[in-house]
Amino acid sequence: MAVRPLVQTNDPVLRQRAQRVTSFGVALQSLITDMVDTMQAQKGVGLAAPQIGVSQQVLVIQFSENEKDAERGELYILCNPKIVRRRGEEPETEGCLSLPGFAGEVPRATMVTVKGQDAEGKPVHIKAHGFLARIFQHEIDHLYGKLYIDRVESAEKIWRVQPAGEGDEGEVESL
Ligand code: NI
């Protein structure tokens, strides 16, 4: 268990297409544990492996729909994810742990169906709505070298925000 450092915004690993996971052994389990630890330490709601410098198709997500709920939401761990269905489109504000100090209004599908594999390599099929669907799209983008700034309609849709602080009201979710 370890919190790993996030790579810098300009690290080329963030712009590469990550490698498919083919070995579901001890190294992967340790990577996933570290990713969950890192996501929680950074108070993020999602993290993709390239964000800690590992070019592999692995993502973790933990998000609770109920903001007043002190409990963390359900934990999703997904390898080799692929969006197989998407519906609707809605702009909403999101931030990224790899672009600290900024937020943007990003149009994304409101519903997605994602297929992939769990930590043991078993097939997984997830249907997500609303902000959870947004997080899946954001993290899967990371695995293809894409950042949210590539998806905003114009530069005016990106703005500066205060660095994340504990318990801030209306804080932008970082993914
Ligand atoms: Ni991100």
Side-chain angles (χ1 to χ4, degrees):
M1 277 173 58
V3 173
R4 298 203 201 173
L6 297 170
V7 300
Q8 300 283 310
T9 301
N10 58 358
D11 194 306
V13 74
L14 291 174
R15 291 314 203 163
Q16 287 163 9
R17 184 181 171 149
Q19 299 291 313
R20 279 183 65 81
V21 174
T22 52
S23 168
F24 292 83
V26 178
L28 178 67
Q29 309 310 319
S30 149
L31 170 66
I32 289 169
T33 305
D34 288 358
M35 285 176 64
V36 172
D37 288 348
T38 305
M39 170 179 66
Q40 292 178 346
Q42 295 286 345
K43 303 191 185 308
V45 293
L47 188 77
Q51 295 183 276
I52 54 166
V54 178
S55 194
Q56 283 204 59
Q57 292 186 19
V58 184
L59 63 82
V60 297
I61 290 173
Q62 195 168 32
F63 175 68
S64 173
E65 284 287 349
N66 183 358
E67 285 172 29
K68 291 190 176 67
D69 189 354
E71 293 289 306
R72 285 190 163 268
E74 189 178 344
L75 178 65
Y76 297 90
I77 292 161
L78 206 52
C79 302
N80 305 325
K82 196 173 184 293
I83 295 171
V84 293
R85 190 162 174 237
R86 59 179 80 227
R87 216 170 52 209
E89 193 183 272
E90 204 171 67
E92 209 179 316
T93 302
E94 61 188 66
C96 178
L97 293 171
S98 301
L99 300 161
F102 292 92
E105 189 188 277
V106 189
R108 294 206 190 263
T110 52
M111 189 286 292
V112 292
T113 303
V114 180
K115 277 185 177 176
Q117 288 163 282
D118 69 10
E120 279 76 46
K122 294 193 207 81
V124 191
H125 191 263
I126 300 160
K127 205 169 181 178
H129 298 264
F131 206 82
L132 182 61
R134 175 169 296 272
I135 301 170
F136 272 104
Q137 291 167 83
H138 179 116
E139 302 309 340
I140 291 170
D141 271 356
H142 272 301
L143 304 179
Y144 287 85
K146 255 190 181 324
L147 299 172
Y148 79 78
I149 50 175
D150 306 332
R151 294 201 181 272
V152 297
E153 283 167 3
S154 66
E156 289 75 51
K157 303 284 188 181
I158 303 169
W159 58 88
R160 283 193 171 276
V161 291
Q162 289 287 103
E166 221 167 311
D168 287 353
E169 289 290 327
E171 195 181 297
V172 176
E173 298 282 14
S174 288
L175 298 71

